[in-house]
Amino acid sequence: MPYTTVDDGAEIFYKDWGTDGSPVVLSHGWPLNADAWEATALFLARNGHRAVAHDRRGHGRSSQTWHGNEMDTYADDLATLLDTLDLRDVTLVGHSTGGGEIVRYVGRHGTARVSRLVLVGAVPPLMLRTDDNPGGLPVETFDALRAGEARNRSQLYRDLADGPFFGHNRTGDVDQGFRDAFWLQGMACGHRAAYECIAAFSATDFRADLTAVDVPTLVVHGDDDQIVPIDVGGRRAAELVTDATLLVYEGSGHALPDTDRDRLHADLLSFIDA
């Protein structure tokens, strides 16, 4: 299995599928790994693209480092991956926490290798409620998540999968397989990495990173997202990026790569190939 080694010695696992077509790099949500994108990677590879998906440090098959479980390091690890594979004209796609990772990558490394961005149910610009971000979510939301992680993370992942992550608590018809895969991937994440990543995705301020984005950006968000409410995430992110297009999936929740797969794939391909 392929790995790239970053500056501090951590090994970052990645999948590299498809042809020599234009590359698409897929960044996953918390506490998942590259497997969360495998259906999308297969779809893109079958449609002429090179699909690359990595496990963020601490997640899946990558090194479970004690340090570096925050956005700057995640972004620098992603930069090493793009440099190692010498990827150019890249479309960066990020779901949830992965959206923060790719936006912070642009903020720290620019867009010399990047031609487009896609944010799917993504955490930017800032999830946490602060004095200058009064529309965010209260810190008690994330403290409860941290408490659940510390108390019994196996049960937390089951509760998230059976509830707000897929919107199963709304419709009751989300496939058991999706929910099982969430739990399985979550348990493959290091405990410290998962705990620290809650602060990374909730308290990192991406507003300056978004204003630095100078490539076309597609923002896709469900208007019934119970994890990153659209008024906290997608709508505000689209306002901060100069060349952004916002697609609102009516009645859809957070896990769009699974629950709205066909629609998302069609929108991705249309945007990438435009």
Side-chain angles (χ1 to χ4, degrees):
M1 294 191 293
Y3 288 84
T4 186
T5 303
V6 299
D7 288 345
D8 67 355
E11 292 189 312
I12 305 299
F13 169 83
Y14 66 94
K15 302 178 182 183
D16 188 354
W17 293 359
T19 68
D20 292 331
S22 67
V24 183
V25 175
L26 303 154
S27 180
H28 60 81
W30 173 94
L32 307 176
N33 57 55
D35 294 351
W37 278 121
E38 62 183 3
T40 301
L42 183 61
F43 170 81
L44 292 169
R46 284 176 167 172
N47 282 275
H49 293 279
R50 181 178 179 182
V52 176
H54 64 295
D55 292 356
R56 189 172 302 119
R57 73 166 54 211
H59 298 64
R61 291 138 291 199
S62 291
S63 297
Q64 294 191 9
T65 58
W66 187 255
H67 55 276
N69 299 293
E70 35 72 27
M71 282 293 168
D72 286 354
T73 302
Y74 296 159
D76 292 349
D77 291 347
L78 178 60
T80 297
L81 178 62
L82 267 60
D83 291 347
T84 300
L85 299 178
D86 193 22
L87 299 178
R88 301 178 187 277
D89 191 28
V90 177
T91 299
L92 293 177
V93 182
H95 174 234
S96 195
T97 299
E101 180 181 325
I102 66 172
V103 166
R104 179 52 53 93
Y105 168 87
V106 170
R108 287 174 67 83
H109 299 277
T111 54
R113 292 186 179 274
V114 178
S115 60
R116 296 174 183 82
L117 252 62
V118 182
L119 301 175
V120 182
V123 299
L126 173 59
M127 289 191 72
L128 182 65
R129 180 182 299 167
T130 61
D131 289 344
D132 67 345
N133 188 48
L137 298 173
V139 69
E140 288 80 7
T141 301
F142 307 108
D143 285 344
L145 198 58
R146 278 184 278 266
E149 173 74 28
R151 182 176 58 251
N152 184 346
R153 69 189 189 114
S154 175
Q155 189 60 51
L156 171 68
Y157 301 156
R158 291 198 184 282
D159 291 344
L160 287 171
D162 290 343
F165 189 85
F166 293 102
H168 186 67
N169 56 331
R170 298 276 207 245
T171 64
D173 63 354
V174 177
D175 289 351
Q176 185 70 49
F178 288 147
R179 291 179 278 148
D180 289 349
F182 181 95
W183 177 86
L184 183 65
Q185 290 177 45
M187 293 306 294
C189 185
H191 187 25
R192 175 175 170 82
Y195 188 89
E196 294 297 318
C197 190
I198 295 169
F201 73 67
S202 65
T204 302
D205 188 343
F206 299 100
R207 287 174 287 192
D209 304 297
L210 288 167
T211 60
V213 174
D214 58 357
V215 296
T217 299
L218 179 65
V219 180
V220 184
H221 218 109
D223 67 2
D224 193 32
D225 190 328
Q226 301 171 69
I227 302 294
V228 185
I230 188 171
D231 290 333
V232 174
R235 287 201 173 102
R236 295 185 62 225
E239 291 172 357
L240 292 172
V241 177
T242 301
D243 186 5
T245 300
L246 173 64
L247 293 182
V248 178
Y249 283 18
E250 298 82 2
S252 295
H254 186 64
L256 302 180
D258 291 318
T259 59
D260 296 65
R261 181 172 292 166
D262 291 344
R263 181 179 179 184
L264 180 63
H265 286 178
D267 287 334
L268 276 177
L269 200 60
S270 176
F271 178 70
I272 294 168
D273 289 342

